[in-house]
Amino acid sequence: MDRPVFQPALEGGFVGRSVPRLEDLPMLTGSGRYAADISFPRELHMRVVRSSHAHARIVAIDASAARELPGCVAVWTSEDVADIPPIDFRPTRVQGLEPYRQPVLARGRVRYVGEPVAVVFAEDPYLAEDAADLVAMEVEELPVVLSADRGTEAAVIRKGYGDVAAAFAAAHAVVELDLAIGRHSGVPLETRGAIARYDAMRDVLELHGATKRPHANRDLLARMLAREPSSIHLYEGHVGGGFGVRGEIYPEDVLVCAAALRLGRPVKWIEDRRENLMACNHSREQRHRVRAAIDAEGRILGIDDEFFHDQGAYVRTHGARVADMTAGMLPGPYRVPAYRAIGHYRLTNKTPAATYRAPGRYEATFVCERLLDAIAAKIGIDRVEARRRNLIPKTEMPYARELDVIDTELVLDSGDYAGLLDKALARAGWPALQRELETRRAAGEAVGAGLAFFVEKSGLGPVDGARVSMAADGTFDVVTGAASLGQGVETVLAQIAADALGVDYRRVRVAHGCTDRIEQGYGSHASRTTVMTGSAVHIAATKLRENMQPGCSAQGSFKSEHMTYPYGAHIAVVKVDRETGGVAVERYLAAFDIGRAVNPRLVEGQIEGGVVQGLGGALLEEFVYDAQGSPLSVTLADYAMPTACEAPGIAVLLTEDAPSPLNPLGIKGAGEGGVNPVGAVIASAIDDALGVPGAVTRLPVTPARLVEIMRAERR
Amino acid sequence: MKPPPFSYHDPQTIPDVIGLLQRLENNRLLAGGQSLMPMLNMRLVLPDHLIDLNKVEGLAYIRETGGALEIGAMTRQREIEFAGAVRERCPLMHEAILQVGHRQTRNRGTLGGSLCQLDPSAELVTVAAALDATVAVAGPKGTREIPFSKFPKTYMTPAIGPDELLTGARFPLWAKNHGHAFVEFARRHGDFAIVSAAALLEEDGAGKIKRASVTLGGVGPAPVRVKELERAIVGSAASDALFRDACEICRKIEAMQDVHAPSSYRQHLAAVLSRRALEKAHARIGGGRG
């Protein structure tokens, strides 16, 4: 075959261009392979029997009727999995969390509605559900705790620096707020799924439907099932949304693996929506009592925050990371000479919580930006001016904050915060917008604009690797330990490789999400893939170019001790219906500096999707429980996610003014800047529409709550 | 999300349906399936027999006769949406149907399915109450008519016997120059309304309100005709103050509460939306565009 070995690369390269995605063809032609599309001959179907009690002692579980149902192969309760330890969390400096890990099946006690108490294995999913309905549980009800104001304190996160007491003693004024973020989470349209198969010939256990962190999950499963990691392989297919919740090890993942080994048949489990909303990680719910000490010009002298993190019933794989990141990231883009955060990480009788896109930061930015608005109101200055006076100047970059975030030192690597603020205000036409809103308010409309500035974190280390090789036909294989959550990993890594190799990106195949292709991998989370895996691919491809022959390959490894910190500003215009409490988002601008955008269109997609998710948490989404701890938001009719109909037009301003000095391409991660400040900016905009600074203290701002806010204001 | 086992029946005629209803214990009728299928999948209903009405002849029609619009039980909501007779002669229903779910659900959802499901927030249920509709029910002893005010027996339960089925409904038409409005407040496009309000108004030659109908959906366990409000405005000339004051009565209606809103908020919305519906209906009298 006479193919040109080298296709001429695009002039100026592929990085920085919005080239079409390599992933799209199977999706657009209905040939995608999601978890439910994967089947094996002789597979069994697993159904989880879940607790309908929020807190109870298990007196007895009677599975005899289920076992007798024709087609039911096995029923397991906790005795059947007594040898499997509870699910571990990532290594952490936070001590004392071990007793609160979740067992794969409840032992002696159930602690939230939805907790797995038994599993049924049957010949088809209908029979599995029939059998599950026959499992009877006798319990003795126990008191339930549904607020982090109470609840077992599993850990306390303490962070801070400087003399907070002195800052408050010297303050010209103090602003003090009591703020709450509602319980909500990432809700992927594709629910979770896990298909396990044991191949006795190779002595390999396969788990299909993996994503996010296949290698780490392999190692965790190996420990729990007492197997060698090399005898377990995880495989990733297409993923219908990750958002932090998908791709962690949950009880169901362990159970399908154990069952495939013990029952000698492939085992498939596909989560249904009702399960998804009560079994998959929740997130976000925190209450903050926060104070800021300020001088006469509104400059921050100190921040003192005490917060209560509602973890739900168990510590899951993230440990206390969300509370940790909240405390670490709360000072945001501002100079804060003295800081103290005390986070009470408490257990309640709700679905356990963990990370959801911009974990800890959606919460922290809401708190920090509510403070900045309150400072502006207190001093009587414009909200923009309050931020200008406190932003860390470009000249002080890199800026080391005496804080750590998830066990890494917080060093803001680069940034021109004031510069981006100016650009965002200019793009929004801020002065003209203010005049327009004044006119409309004078005519009786409740319209307002909100502004929020934020710092994200991305590119979590410590290391990543890649292998690039040239095939005989002149194409290239890039093998990575990354995962794809649908965000365009293959395209972006191919663009980076193509430029280093000097070839067309369409000649580059990117492998990800398969533990049998590469020894180590760190998956896709924490906005790390383009930064970490991308850098490793760049290094490997650059090496290969030195000796580019068919059959040759090169390894690349990239280490980073510090994260990179992208930053942004969002501006929203809202209209409040004073009578119904309805909020319409009329306009939205998301400005974001990510150092260098490898594929701007994909970055814009990340931001727009994130903004819409953020609007969900700001206005619509909340996991509500009744007084007995029964979840009331277990369908998509009652858990109200925004749809395309609720999404406003979103303008994205991408800037590349502050490339990261920490990696060869200057990249910062782009996955979470869309969602991060949305709660903050919507709160600010509603305040402005009502003409009441500080009106919003609690998310989501539901119509009923907003009517109450307006009623209280009139009194 | 998998239903338990059931037997499926697909009769072709109304007498066949009635025969099955008489013969089969623990049955459910399947119309458009937009509520029943999820309820089956979530095992909220556990029928032994599912009787599919989709092949039954003579249940899908829209016709104007004797000052009323007659619509068959299996008429798809999407057909109602596009029917000229509905748009021209019963604009309240046209305005309401555009707020029923999404076009995908309207393609399958039927009039009869919605009326029998009797969700108190459902638009068509509220419209039927507003227009004083009559429903036709067929059973072993023939067909009988039930005024819609007597149709809801209890919460989400129609007054239909176990061997009867709804075949259609009759919606009396208002005078050609009447004003109408269907307004609702839902958290998202296509959601069931938290509260909806339907208003119909006719004026006499002297500019006084001659006839009024105000109905609230989503407040009580069934749609609420606010007769006291209707009486308070009939005989008076419309004004902002008249509507505002008269609608305050809606705050006293006993209201439901759920995950989306407490009862006090529903009562508040009832007053706001009934007033908005009346204002809009009044502006549309005689063909005004409101």
Side-chain angles (χ1 to χ4, degrees):
Chain A
M1 217 162 34
D2 193 25
R3 273 195 193 159
V5 172
F6 303 113
Q7 286 246 335
L10 194 67
E11 199 180 329
F14 290 95
V15 170
R17 306 232 177 181
S18 296
V19 296
R21 281 163 39 112
L22 297 173
E23 295 91 335
D24 284 343
L25 192 64
M27 318 282 206
L28 296 176
T29 55
S31 321
R33 195 177 57 194
Y34 296 89
D37 297 320
I38 297 165
S39 283
F40 295 106
R42 297 183 67 244
E43 71 190 3
L44 290 170
H45 295 264
M46 182 175 90
R47 178 76 183 171
V48 180
V49 180
R50 296 180 184 278
S51 171
S52 52
H53 305 273
H55 192 199
R57 190 174 71 82
I58 300 172
V59 177
I61 296 173
D62 180 2
S64 53
R67 287 197 178 95
E68 282 163 22
L69 187 80
C72 176
V73 171
V75 183
W76 291 355
T77 61
S78 66
E79 287 95 73
D80 300 288
V81 291
D83 55 325
I84 300 178
I87 300 170
D88 259 332
F89 42 84
R90 295 168 176 51
T92 173
R93 289 180 200 158
V94 178
Q95 297 297 305
L97 299 176
E98 286 77 6
Y100 308 111
R101 292 170 299 168
Q102 181 164 9
V104 295
L105 290 173
R107 287 178 189 164
R109 237 185 228 213
V110 287
R111 294 183 171 86
Y112 64 96
V113 173
E115 178 168 1
V117 293
V119 270
V120 169
F121 304 94
E123 298 289 347
D124 73 43
Y126 292 80
L127 286 169
E129 215 165 313
D130 293 345
D133 278 355
L134 296 172
V135 176
M137 189 161 95
E138 189 189 327
V139 302
E140 184 189 305
E141 298 265 9
L142 296 167
V144 300
V145 174
L146 296 168
S147 164
D149 291 347
R150 302 187 292 130
T152 302
E153 190 154 280
V156 181
I157 307 293
R158 290 175 199 277
K159 288 188 198 293
Y161 56 81
D163 190 337
V164 172
F168 278 83
H172 165 77
V174 172
V175 293
E176 191 163 358
L177 300 172
D178 189 340
L179 302 168
I181 301 101
R183 194 175 197 81
H184 64 285
S185 196
V187 180
L189 284 188
E190 185 199 12
T191 55
R192 290 181 297 146
I195 305 93
R197 173 170 75 157
Y198 175 63
D199 180 351
M201 188 181 83
R202 295 182 296 150
D203 186 26
V204 164
L205 174 69
E206 298 175 357
L207 177 62
H208 299 259
T211 189
K212 190 177 176 183
R213 48 202 304 273
H215 286 84
N217 288 348
R218 173 198 62 188
D219 296 348
L220 176 53
L221 285 169
R223 286 200 301 280
M224 293 185 70
L225 299 170
R227 292 183 66 84
E228 293 298 327
S230 57
S231 74
I232 300 179
H233 291 329
L234 271 61
Y235 298 95
E236 186 179 58
H238 286 130
V239 174
F243 314 124
V245 300
R246 187 193 195 84
E248 294 294 323
I249 290 294
Y250 289 86
E252 297 88 352
D253 301 284
V254 184
L255 288 162
V256 290
C257 288
L261 289 168
R262 292 184 199 176
L263 302 175
R265 292 173 66 176
V267 177
K268 179 171 184 170
W269 174 73
I270 300 296
E271 184 178 54
D272 72 34
R273 182 60 67 191
R274 189 166 177 277
E275 291 183 292
N276 175 257
L277 292 169
M278 62 168 79
C280 201
N281 287 337
H282 284 185
S283 198
R284 301 275 203 252
E285 187 174 11
Q286 289 181 349
R287 180 176 176 199
H288 289 251
R289 291 196 188 110
V290 65
R291 302 186 301 147
I294 52 175
D295 71 11
E297 277 75 49
R299 288 191 182 81
I300 298 167
L301 303 174
I303 292 177
D304 188 10
D305 182 38
E306 182 175 30
F307 67 98
F308 302 84
H309 176 93
D310 189 332
Q311 170 57 24
Y314 292 100
V315 174
R316 279 195 171 165
T317 44
H318 290 91
R321 281 186 171 212
V322 176
D324 185 285
M325 285 187 274
T326 306
M329 294 296 288
L330 194 131
Y334 303 113
R335 261 205 289 225
V336 178
Y339 175 63
R340 176 170 60 199
I342 301 173
H344 301 273
Y345 176 88
R346 289 183 178 168
L347 302 174
T348 60
N349 295 113
K350 298 181 189 170
T351 297
T355 58
Y356 166 33
R357 204 173 194 177
R361 285 97 76 190
Y362 187 88
E363 302 89 317
T365 301
F366 175 68
V367 173
C368 183
E369 289 298 274
R370 288 280 72 195
L371 269 184
L372 266 288
D373 280 0
I375 291 167
K378 186 89 179 177
I379 300 292
I381 57 174
D382 182 74
R383 287 174 295 169
V384 175
E385 182 58 25
R387 286 163 176 85
R388 278 194 210 289
R389 290 181 190 178
N390 285 289
L391 285 173
I392 297 165
K394 186 181 167 183
T395 50
E396 292 185 22
M397 292 290 167
Y399 186 93
R401 182 101 71 196
E402 293 170 65
L403 284 175
D404 60 89
V405 183
I406 45 174
D407 302 341
T408 66
E409 290 165 30
L410 197 165
V411 183
L412 301 171
D413 52 334
S414 62
D416 179 2
Y417 297 165
L420 184 68
L421 181 59
D422 287 339
K423 285 187 176 180
L425 294 169
R427 176 67 181 269
W430 185 258
L433 175 63
Q434 296 305 313
R435 287 193 296 276
E436 177 203 323
L437 294 174
E438 277 301 330
T439 308
R440 290 176 65 188
R441 281 194 290 261
E445 284 187 274
V447 287
L451 166 80
F453 206 98
F454 66 100
V455 171
E456 249 303 322
K457 62 162 213 53
S458 68
L460 181 64
V463 68
D464 213 328
R467 184 172 65 242
V468 183
S469 53
M470 185 172 180
D473 61 5
T475 59
F476 295 85
D477 280 294
V478 173
V479 181
T480 72
S484 169
L485 301 156
Q487 73 274 51
V489 164
E490 292 169 35
T491 304
V492 164
L493 296 181
Q495 285 177 262
I496 291 171
D499 277 9
L501 295 164
V503 303
D504 192 298
Y505 83 111
R506 284 160 293 194
R507 296 183 72 77
V508 178
R509 270 185 304 273
V510 175
H512 56 81
C514 298
T515 55
D516 60 352
R517 297 286 307 273
I518 188 165
E519 189 52 37
Q520 272 308 318
Y522 297 85
S524 285
H525 53 94
S527 293
R528 73 183 305 282
T529 309
T530 309
V531 178
M532 295 299 297
T533 316
S535 295
V537 167
H538 173 81
I539 290 164
T542 304
K543 259 195 231 172
L544 180 64
R545 192 172 188 174
E546 289 164 15
N547 182 23
M548 200 146 75
Q549 302 285 336
C552 282
S553 71
Q555 305 270 354
S557 174
F558 179 70
K559 289 191 177 65
S560 185
E561 286 177 15
H562 291 289
M563 290 190 279
T564 68
Y565 294 86
Y567 56 93
H570 287 199
I571 291 171
V573 176
V574 305
K575 180 176 177 177
V576 173
D577 183 328
R578 283 191 184 274
E579 291 188 313
T580 62
V583 176
V585 181
E586 294 187 341
R587 268 174 274 174
Y588 204 100
L589 169 70
F592 199 25
D593 194 300
I594 54 166
R596 190 166 187 196
V598 175
N599 188 318
R601 187 179 298 152
L602 297 193
V603 174
E604 286 170 16
Q606 286 292 309
I607 293 172
E608 289 175 19
V611 167
V612 176
Q613 285 187 309
L615 291 173
L619 296 168
L620 289 162
E621 294 176 41
E622 189 170 28
F623 291 113
V624 179
Y625 286 81
D626 71 10
Q628 287 72 46
S630 291
L632 302 179
S633 318
V634 292
T635 70
L636 292 183
D638 292 325
Y639 183 79
M641 294 164 71
T643 71
C645 301
E646 283 69 51
I650 299 163
V652 175
L653 173 62
L654 269 186
T655 62
E656 300 181 328
D657 295 336
S660 175
L662 303 181
N663 61 69
L665 297 172
I667 296 167
K668 297 181 180 182
E672 300 169 277
V675 71
N676 177 314
V678 184
V681 75
I682 292 298
S684 183
I686 291 172
D687 279 10
D688 194 42
L690 301 181
V692 182
V696 173
T697 58
R698 179 179 177 189
L699 300 178
V701 190
T702 63
R705 283 180 191 149
L706 192 47
V707 163
E708 279 308 309
I709 289 170
M710 291 186 284
R711 186 172 290 161
E713 194 54 37
R714 279 196 297 273
R715 274 201 289 268
Chain B
M1 295 284 178
K2 307 287 182 212
F6 55 80
S7 301
Y8 173 82
H9 308 267
D10 57 346
Q12 316 264 322
T13 67
I14 292 171
D16 287 350
V17 175
I18 294 165
L20 289 170
L21 288 171
Q22 287 180 292
R23 191 159 56 80
L24 303 173
E25 291 287 311
N26 188 24
N27 61 64
R28 286 293 291 227
L29 294 171
L30 173 67
Q34 298 306 294
S35 299
L36 183 56
M37 292 312 295
M39 287 164 67
L40 278 170
N41 287 342
M42 288 192 271
R43 299 189 173 215
L44 297 173
V45 291
L46 305 165
D48 291 317
H49 299 277
L50 199 65
I51 304 170
D52 186 349
L53 298 176
N54 284 277
K55 288 184 185 164
V56 177
E57 288 161 11
L59 288 176
Y61 53 84
I62 299 173
R63 56 187 175 229
E64 190 184 336
T65 49
L69 210 54
E70 292 185 351
I71 304 181
M74 285 299 288
T75 307
R76 307 287 166 188
Q77 292 157 4
R78 195 83 164 136
E79 289 168 34
I80 296 173
E81 179 181 340
F82 284 108
V86 173
R87 194 169 52 240
E88 283 150 33
R89 299 293 285 122
C90 195
L92 177 75
M93 187 181 293
H94 182 70
E95 187 165 38
I97 202 106
L98 293 170
Q99 300 176 60
V100 176
H102 298 265
R103 72 179 61 154
Q104 292 86 343
T105 65
R106 294 198 291 273
N107 276 330
R108 290 298 300 168
T110 63
L111 171 74
S114 180
L115 293 184
C116 289
Q117 181 68 16
L118 258 182
D119 189 297
S121 298
E123 289 82 0
L124 287 171
V125 172
T126 304
V127 165
L131 289 166
D132 294 308
T134 306
V135 298
V137 169
K141 293 177 199 150
T143 299
R144 67 186 178 107
E145 297 209 324
I146 308 170
F148 196 79
S149 59
K150 301 266 189 297
F151 190 61
K153 202 159 74 180
T154 56
Y155 177 65
M156 293 181 80
T157 310
I160 299 183
D163 50 6
E164 291 180 318
L165 81 148
L166 182 86
T167 57
R170 194 166 182 278
F171 300 90
L173 298 172
W174 281 48
K176 280 205 167 155
N177 60 355
H178 79 278
H180 73 279
F182 191 95
V183 298
E184 69 175 37
F185 185 79
R187 296 191 64 194
R188 295 175 300 180
H189 173 82
D191 276 354
F192 277 111
I194 295 180
V195 171
S196 62
L200 294 156
L201 287 176
E202 279 177 32
E203 273 181 353
D204 64 15
K208 294 215 163 97
I209 295 168
K210 188 169 76 179
R211 190 181 171 203
S213 165
V214 181
T215 310
L216 291 165
V219 178
V224 180
R225 267 297 282 275
V226 200
K227 298 274 187 188
E228 204 178 331
L229 166 54
E230 294 169 8
R231 281 195 294 273
I233 59 173
V234 168
S236 302
S239 72
D240 289 352
L242 176 75
F243 290 154
R244 194 177 53 241
D245 294 347
C247 289
E248 284 300 303
I249 189 86
C250 299
R251 291 184 197 273
K252 294 188 180 138
I253 300 168
E254 196 175 326
M256 308 181 292
Q257 67 172 26
D258 65 10
V259 64
H260 297 295
S263 52
S264 60
Y265 178 69
R266 283 196 157 78
Q267 292 169 322
H268 170 75
L269 275 189
V272 169
L273 297 183
S274 56
R275 194 203 73 230
R276 286 184 181 181
L278 282 169
E279 288 168 355
K280 202 168 173 184
H282 183 257
R284 284 168 167 172
I285 286 177
R289 301 202 56 84

